């Protein structure tokens, strides 16, 4: 039997506000337990929630970035359930009237194609606290620092048909929320969490199969593996004559499996109702337009511009626009004296390799775009070769002031004097008469041997184009 | 619609309200009366009337995103039945 996989994602993006969604307590990560939990977060009697304007702005920003409908009047509702890290006994969320309505995103797939994924909605809500089960004897510890942290829950349509598509979509949203600066995207700290709804149906069926919801996935790799495991499990169940049970399943990365989370099943009836503490949230046109004005050029628009206006290959454009800081850095290295492609090549090659090696992100790179630009200019005008540029870059990384200063101090200026290069070539040919004879006898491969020898003699400074040219003439002529 | 005692038991459990079996039937009758009232209201023609989540014309007030609360852990944990190492302690909830 041939199966079709249907996946929808619910992404919780923690909004990058300074204070909580309904209180003035800090949202900073990593504080001592309960030092950032005030009376409102604790749900003490008599307190009232007051909405954070920044969270509203960020939600509207997301709507604008995904061409989504904006709920001009949205309503907060109470989602009722009992758990120790939810002190009020309800979570303030949005149900019937969310702030962000239907939208869509165009997601680049790994095979180079694009796929449109529908967004059902995105709503504002508060996060719960954190329960600690393994630190105390016969007790659970509750830390409410996270309680009341603003979240934007982004719900997709069940449009994905494979784990790879689901991951591509999640990465797209991850990149987008960082791009528009509404979420730091830190998955380890829980700022960006994905739940996956997975179901299976026979190919050709139009009705959806019974779905399970996978929770507790904190990396894209685990998301892919958890979905893969769940697809296999559901196919096994169906092919052995069983039925899939609608339930929440937890992903266990150590065992690479999902397992049923029975304890939460009975809590599925949340009895939503409008929160009487919070009148409707109304956003007007002026507000929306003021936020539109703050929207940066979006990744897909910027990518298209890099390809069409700057002449970059698609691969480079994709790599350079995934992260806003990378794209900004790239644009800051550009100069009229060289083609943008040169800077793109250098960044995707040399810089990315170095960042990987040092395990740093762009913000931790100790070299500025201005310094890189200075180096690229010297590569373009022939002062240094690509090989010497690596050495210059090392020096810049180590704290040197500018490419020009390094070239001057270390005497790295490329040798472009053809007389000098010729002398070096003559010496090398004279020292290797055997190889010269072999080469002339037809062993073309020895060309690179000679180039290497001359380069070594010049300490890497010979202009490679000139060297090749003269060497070829001498050997062939 | 009439609520059964079983449905009332389930609602009571969701709300963590303790109800003994003896009062279940009585409660079911009471709540059914409430639902009948709602049904009666449902029969009113509301064509053209905008749905309303809250009475009155109030709109949500917004505050600036500023940290205004200081750490008050000591005083906030003072009335808690149990606290240790900065955590509120509750009976173990993990299975």
């Amino acid at each position: 039997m041939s199966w079709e996989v249907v996946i929808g994602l619910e992404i919780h993006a923690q909004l990058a506000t300074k204070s909580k969604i309904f209180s003035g307590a800090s949202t900073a990560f990593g504080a001592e337990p309960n030092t950032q939990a005030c009376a409102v977060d604790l749900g003490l009697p008599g307190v009232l929630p007051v909405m954070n304007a920044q969270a509203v702005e960020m939600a509207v920003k997301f709507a604008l970035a995904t061409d989504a409908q904006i709920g001009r009047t949205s309503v907060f509702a109470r989602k009722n359930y009992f758990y120790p890290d939810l002190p009020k006994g309800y979570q303030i969320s949005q149900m019937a009237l969310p702030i962000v309505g239907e939208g869509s995103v165009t997601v680049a797939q790994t095979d180079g194609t694009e796929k449109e994924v529908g967004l059902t909605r995105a709503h504002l809500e508060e996060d719960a606290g954190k329960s600690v089960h393994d630190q105390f004897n016969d007790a659970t510890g509750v830390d409410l620092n996270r309680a009341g942290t603003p979240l934007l829950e982004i719900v997709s349509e069940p449009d994905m048909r494979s784990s790879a598509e689901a991951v591509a979509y999640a990465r797209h949203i991850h990149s987008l929320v960082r791009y528009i600066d509404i979420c730091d995207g830190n998955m380890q700290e829980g700022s960006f969490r994905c739940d996956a709804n997975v179901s299976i149906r026979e190919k050709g069926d139009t009705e959806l199969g019974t779905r399970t919801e996978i929770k507790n996935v904190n990396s894209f790799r685990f998301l892919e593996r958890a979905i893969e495991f769940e697809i296999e499990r559901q196919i096994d169940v169906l092919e052995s004559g069983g039925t899939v049970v609608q339930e929440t399943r937890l992903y266990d990365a150590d065992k690479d499996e999902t397992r049923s989370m029975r304890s939460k099943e009975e809590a599925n009836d949340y009895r939503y109702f409008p929160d009487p503490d919070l009148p409707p949230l109304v956003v007007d046109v002026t507000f929306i337009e003021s936020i539109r004005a703050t929207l940066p050029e979006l990744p897909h628009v910027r990518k298209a511009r890099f390809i069409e206006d700057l002449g970059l290959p698609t691969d480079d454009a994709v790599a350079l626009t995934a992260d806003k800081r990378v794209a900004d850095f790239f644009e800051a290295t550009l100069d009229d004296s060289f083609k943008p492609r040169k800077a793109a090549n250098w960044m995707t090659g040399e810089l990315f390799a170095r960042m990987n090696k040092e395990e740093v992100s762009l913000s931790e790179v100790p070299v500025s775009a201005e310094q890189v630009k200075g180096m690229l200019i010297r590569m373009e005008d022939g002062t240094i070769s690509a090989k010497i540029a690596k050495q210059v870059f090392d020096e810049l990384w180590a704290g040197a002031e500018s490419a020009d200063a390094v070239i001057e101090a270390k005497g790295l200026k490329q040798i472009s004097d053809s007389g000098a290069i010729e002398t070096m070539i003559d010496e090398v040919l004279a020292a290797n008469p055997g190889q010269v004879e072999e080469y002339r006898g037809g062993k073309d491969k020895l060309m690179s041997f000679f180039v290497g020898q001359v380069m070594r003699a010049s300490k890497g400074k010979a202009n490679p184009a000139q060297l090749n040219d003269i060497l070829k003439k001498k050997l062939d002529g | 619609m009439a609520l059964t005692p079983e449905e009332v038991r389930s609602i009571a459990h969701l709300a963590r309200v303790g109800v003994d079996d003896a009062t279940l039937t009585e409660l079911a009758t009471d709540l059914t009366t409430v639902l009948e009232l709602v049904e009666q209201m449902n029969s009113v023609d509301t064509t053209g009337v905008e749905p309303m989540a809250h009475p009155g014309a109030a709109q949500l007030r917004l505050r600036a995103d500023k940290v205004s609360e200081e750490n008050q852990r000591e005083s906030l944990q003072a009335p808690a039945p149990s606290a240790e190492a900065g955590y509120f302690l509750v009976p173990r909830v993990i299975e």
Side-chain angles (χ1 to χ4, degrees), chain A residues 70 98 121 195 212 232 252 291 363 444 455 477:
Chain A
I70 296 171
R121 56 185 279 153
D195 299 339
T212 58
E232 289 304 316
D252 182 334
I291 290 161
S363 57
D444 291 354
M455 261 303 172

Side-chain angles (χ1 to χ4, degrees), chain A residues 404-454:
Chain A
D404 283 347
V406 175
I407 294 164
E408 178 69 32
K410 304 259 165 181
L412 297 176
K413 195 166 186 308
Q414 183 162 256
I415 301 169
S416 299
D417 169 357
S418 54
I421 294 175
E422 214 172 322
T423 309
M424 286 186 275
I425 291 175
D426 286 342
E427 282 167 11
V428 167
L429 296 186
N432 300 283
Q435 279 88 342
V436 172
E437 204 163 308
E438 281 183 58
Y439 175 87
R440 289 188 173 139
K443 206 169 171 191
D444 291 354
K445 277 190 206 157
L446 278 169
M447 185 69 184
S448 56
F449 163 77
F450 293 118
V451 172
Q453 292 295 310
V454 180

Side-chain angles (χ1 to χ4, degrees), chain A residues 20 22-25 33-49 83-90 92 126-130 142-149, chain B residues 69-81 83 86-88:
Chain A
K20 294 190 176 171
F22 298 120
S23 84
N34 292 306
T35 53
Q36 293 175 174
C38 69
V40 172
D41 307 325
L42 264 54
L44 294 188
V47 298
L48 280 174
Y83 206 71
D85 57 26
L86 187 77
K88 298 193 298 296
Y90 60 85
I92 304 178
E126 58 178 348
D127 207 347
K130 209 172 75 180
V142 179
D143 173 11
L144 296 171
N145 281 350
R146 207 180 58 185
T149 298
Chain B
E69 295 286 340
E70 287 173 2
N71 173 20
Q72 298 177 68
R73 184 170 76 185
E74 208 175 318
S75 57
L76 290 173
Q77 278 189 341
Y87 291 89
F88 291 96

Side-chain angles (χ1 to χ4, degrees), chain A residues 303-321:
Chain A
K303 186 181 84 187
R305 180 166 62 81
F306 281 7
I307 294 169
E308 282 152 30
D309 297 357
L310 300 184
L312 297 194
T314 308
D315 284 359
D316 285 357
V318 169
L320 292 172
T321 51

Side-chain angles (χ1 to χ4, degrees), chain A residues 393-408:
Chain A
F393 183 54
D394 280 343
E395 296 291 332
L396 290 174
W397 193 287
E401 188 193 333
S402 70
D404 283 347
V406 175
I407 294 164
E408 178 69 32

Side-chain angles (χ1 to χ4, degrees), chain A residues 156-408:
Chain A
S156 84
E157 289 288 302
D159 284 348
M160 277 74 73
R161 293 290 173 270
S162 68
S163 58
E165 284 186 12
V167 170
Y169 162 77
R171 283 185 185 279
H172 182 97
I173 297 293
H174 186 248
S175 160
L176 181 66
V177 294
R178 283 181 304 148
Y179 226 90
I180 60 176
D181 216 12
I182 65 169
C183 172
D184 69 17
N186 190 324
M187 296 178 83
Q188 294 307 315
E189 293 177 4
S191 307
F192 188 89
R193 316 196 278 268
C194 303
D195 299 339
N197 289 309
V198 180
S199 66
I200 300 288
R201 65 182 170 192
E202 253 179 80
K203 255 209 166 83
D205 273 3
T206 47
E207 271 184 43
L208 293 171
T210 306
R211 66 162 198 262
T212 58
E213 183 178 9
I214 309 171
K215 283 188 184 285
N216 203 30
V217 186
N218 67 357
S219 79
F220 294 122
R221 194 164 60 94
F222 290 159
L223 177 65
E224 184 152 20
R225 281 164 53 178
I227 292 173
E228 282 301 321
F229 175 89
E230 188 55 21
I231 292 169
E232 289 304 316
R233 190 191 69 84
Q234 291 189 14
I235 289 176
D236 283 352
V237 168
L238 293 176
E239 289 191 341
S240 59
T243 47
V244 173
V245 181
Q246 181 166 347
E247 61 181 354
T248 302
R249 298 179 69 86
L250 275 186
Y251 178 66
D252 182 334
D254 293 333
K255 294 183 181 152
D256 190 23
E257 63 176 28
T258 66
R259 58 166 182 270
S260 183
M261 194 179 155
R262 296 184 194 287
S263 60
K264 281 216 167 171
E265 263 172 65
E266 63 173 21
N268 272 338
D269 187 348
Y270 293 121
R271 295 149 294 135
Y272 283 91
F273 63 88
D275 191 325
D277 287 343
L278 294 158
L281 169 60
V282 177
V283 291
D284 61 24
V285 179
T286 322
F287 182 80
I288 293 168
E289 289 313 312
S290 72
I291 290 161
R292 196 191 299 277
T294 69
L295 210 60
E297 184 182 27
L298 296 175
H300 65 279
V301 178
R302 203 167 193 183
K303 186 181 84 187
R305 180 166 62 81
F306 281 7
I307 294 169
E308 282 152 30
D309 297 357
L310 300 184
L312 297 194
T314 308
D315 284 359
D316 285 357
V318 169
L320 292 172
T321 51
D323 182 326
K324 182 167 181 291
R325 279 171 309 182
V326 171
D328 290 345
F329 189 97
F330 164 69
E331 292 210 67
T333 65
L334 297 183
D335 185 79
D336 289 341
S337 71
F338 54 84
K339 289 206 168 77
R341 191 169 182 159
K342 190 180 184 97
N345 278 340
W346 183 83
M347 274 190 67
T348 55
E350 297 298 321
L351 181 62
F352 286 4
R354 184 65 181 260
M355 282 162 58
N356 276 336
K357 193 176 140 225
E358 309 271 344
E359 293 180 346
V360 295
S361 70
L362 188 65
S363 57
E364 298 160 296
V365 169
V367 182
S368 72
E370 194 59 32
Q371 289 173 310
V372 170
K373 181 202 255 185
M375 185 185 77
L376 291 169
I377 291 172
R378 290 297 163 248
M379 284 168 78
E380 181 68 19
D381 70 13
T383 306
I384 54 171
S385 63
K387 200 174 167 208
I388 293 292
K390 286 179 204 276
Q391 202 180 328
V392 171
F393 183 54
D394 280 343
E395 296 291 332
L396 290 174
W397 193 287
E401 188 193 333
S402 70
D404 283 347
V406 175
I407 294 164
E408 178 69 32

Side-chain angles (χ1 to χ4, degrees), chain A residues 19 23-24 33-34 51 142 278, chain B residues 54 63 65 68 73 86 88 90:
Chain A
S19 65
S23 84
N34 292 306
M51 182 74 204
V142 179
L278 294 158
Chain B
H54 299 80
R63 52 168 248 278
D65 179 28
S68 56
R73 184 170 76 185
F88 291 96
V90 298

Side-chain angles (χ1 to χ4, degrees), chain B residues 26-45:
Chain B
E26 193 186 328
L27 261 176
T29 314
D30 272 4
L31 289 171
T32 300
T33 317
V34 176
L35 289 180
E36 279 167 4
L37 174 68
V38 174
E39 259 170 52
Q40 210 179 328
M41 293 195 289
N42 270 342
S43 67
V44 177
D45 181 8

